[in-house]
Amino acid sequence: MYKIDNLQSQTLQNLASRTALGIYTKSHSTIENTRLARFALQNQSAKLLPHERVKSCLRCRIDASISVSVKYNTKREKAHYSNLQRCGSVWHCPVCASIITEKRRAEIKKAIDAHDGGLYMLTLTFPHYLGDNLKALLSRLELALSRFFGARKAKAIFGQMGKIGHIKALEVTHGRNGWHPHFHLLIFTKQELPLDYDTAPLLEQWQNACRLAKLPIPNSKYGLNWKKGDYSGYISKWGIDNEIAKGHLKTGKNGNLTAWDLLKMSMLDDEQAGKLFQEFAISFKGRRQLVWSRGLKAMFSIDNKTDEELAEETEKTS
């Protein structure tokens, strides 16, 4: 078993305060410190999740008979340790999540660049309350989405708009009203839709889907949000490919906290934040963060690769 040496362990301990500081300030924002902060967060995640694969990620050898070595990737111009296990978890591991989401972002960007029709961001949410069980909410939310896309009226609406496919991204934050899981969907259409496109029929279908899934009925203000995929807010700051692939890595807004925010807070001995991160990790284990509708990847000549394959890909090209 490969263990972090004393010097590296001390470095991770020293970084704990700096990583937590990042919640409140923009200090220590260099590329190197950002990378080190990810390892500090990974170390904290391993402590909170002792029975998950993240505990062995980049800590245990793949083959005990072979030494750990350093390899260099000429394409990425970066070096990395070889013969170390990777957990490949986009939910549990900040290090693997950074690698995986960047490659997912590249896949989405390739599709966006090749598409010459309409592109729209559809966000679906519902009312939620403090004390709600996250795992139960996720199950009902996924059932609601299945009802939404499977309904005859919804299929007719998507057919009329010329929908050719979508990319679904799952996100969650935690705030004063408890857990807030929601979906972002990047909708690809054959042609641009009118600027005044009426989404009221879609909202009605989403409300009915939530009712069937025994979720609180969303209202017209917050339940459904529809925006053009290249609107200025994404072009100037974030990029819609980043929003879909890396949305769960963002810092929370309006007092809401992401899972990584909770992980950072747990490094400040916030026991409640640590318990919330554990609930998140258990509830999201095994779920896919990004799902492409059937045939969409093939349309844009994008290979099907698992998160684990993407996490280990750099090893094979070094």
Side-chain angles (χ1 to χ4, degrees):
M1 179 174 180
Y2 177 80
K3 296 183 179 179
I4 300 175
D5 59 31
N6 292 334
L7 177 62
Q8 189 176 4
S9 296
Q10 185 61 49
T11 300
L12 289 171
Q13 292 172 11
N14 293 338
L15 278 167
S17 60
R18 289 162 55 176
T19 303
L21 181 67
I23 302 171
Y24 307 107
T25 85
K26 294 184 179 179
S27 300
H28 308 292
S29 60
T30 65
I31 293 176
E32 182 179 354
N33 283 333
T34 298
R35 187 181 302 118
L36 291 173
R38 289 194 193 110
F39 280 99
L41 287 171
Q42 183 198 55
N43 191 55
Q44 180 69 2
S45 180
K47 291 178 181 178
L48 292 174
L49 307 173
H51 303 298
E52 301 298 336
R53 292 181 62 191
V54 66
K55 75 179 186 304
S56 302
C57 187
L58 298 177
R59 287 171 169 79
C60 298
R61 284 182 288 182
I62 298 171
D63 187 339
S65 65
I66 302 175
S67 299
V68 175
S69 61
V70 175
K71 286 189 175 182
Y72 183 74
N73 189 309
T74 56
K75 184 176 180 180
R76 298 175 66 238
E77 296 185 343
K78 290 182 180 180
H80 63 86
Y81 290 111
S82 178
N83 194 36
L84 289 179
Q85 296 179 23
R86 296 178 186 268
C87 67
S89 175
V90 76
W91 305 119
H92 298 172
C93 179
V95 176
C96 286
S98 175
I99 296 169
I100 294 165
T101 55
E102 176 57 26
K103 293 177 180 180
R104 295 297 187 204
R105 184 203 65 80
E107 291 176 346
I108 295 168
K109 187 176 186 302
K110 179 180 179 181
I112 291 173
D113 290 345
H115 182 56
D116 58 1
L119 194 65
Y120 301 90
M121 173 80 87
L122 172 63
T123 301
L124 299 172
T125 186
F126 61 93
H128 51 93
Y129 307 98
L130 191 65
D132 284 341
N133 180 275
L134 178 57
K135 197 167 187 177
L137 286 180
L138 288 171
S139 296
R140 292 174 186 170
L141 178 59
E142 290 178 339
L143 176 58
L145 191 70
S146 176
R147 296 275 192 178
F148 176 67
F149 277 112
R152 184 182 304 174
K153 289 184 179 179
K155 288 181 178 179
I157 293 170
F158 286 125
Q160 290 169 1
M161 75 166 61
K163 175 177 174 288
I164 60 175
H166 66 265
I167 303 173
K168 177 184 69 177
L170 175 62
E171 289 188 27
V172 69
T173 57
H174 189 277
R176 62 183 180 181
N177 292 324
W179 291 109
H180 173 45
H182 52 282
F183 281 118
H184 292 300
L185 296 112
L186 190 58
I187 306 290
F188 293 78
T189 61
K190 294 177 182 177
Q191 296 179 338
E192 295 278 354
L193 299 176
L195 294 176
D196 59 349
Y197 181 74
D198 183 15
T199 59
L202 277 176
L203 174 62
E204 182 181 343
Q205 293 305 306
W206 175 238
Q207 290 172 326
N208 187 54
C210 288
R211 179 184 62 81
L212 293 173
K214 301 187 184 306
L215 285 173
I217 308 301
N219 60 33
S220 59
K221 184 176 181 180
Y222 298 110
L224 183 147
N225 186 271
W226 175 275
K227 291 183 178 179
K228 199 171 187 299
D230 60 353
Y231 60 97
S232 60
Y234 287 107
I235 292 295
S236 62
K237 185 177 181 180
W238 187 239
I240 199 164
D241 50 332
N242 277 295
E243 180 70 12
I244 291 290
K246 294 176 172 285
H248 78 297
L249 302 182
K250 296 182 299 184
T251 299
K253 297 179 181 179
N254 301 322
N256 293 320
L257 301 169
T258 67
W260 305 129
D261 290 331
L262 294 169
L263 188 58
K264 290 175 186 177
M265 292 172 64
S266 73
M267 296 180 75
L268 293 172
D269 296 325
D270 187 326
E271 185 177 351
Q272 180 62 22
K275 289 180 178 179
L276 287 171
F277 179 79
Q278 289 172 324
E279 182 183 357
F280 157 82
I282 293 170
S283 300
F284 274 74
K285 181 179 178 180
R287 297 182 186 273
R288 296 171 65 186
Q289 186 245 339
L290 280 180
V291 179
W292 295 55
S293 60
R294 185 177 301 175
L296 192 63
K297 277 193 172 182
M299 181 181 296
F300 296 112
S301 301
I302 296 171
D303 295 332
N304 273 310
K305 295 182 179 179
T306 65
D307 288 348
E308 291 78 7
E309 287 173 331
L310 291 180
E312 297 172 358
E313 197 172 48
T314 187
E315 183 92 3
K316 298 176 183 177
T317 59
S318 301

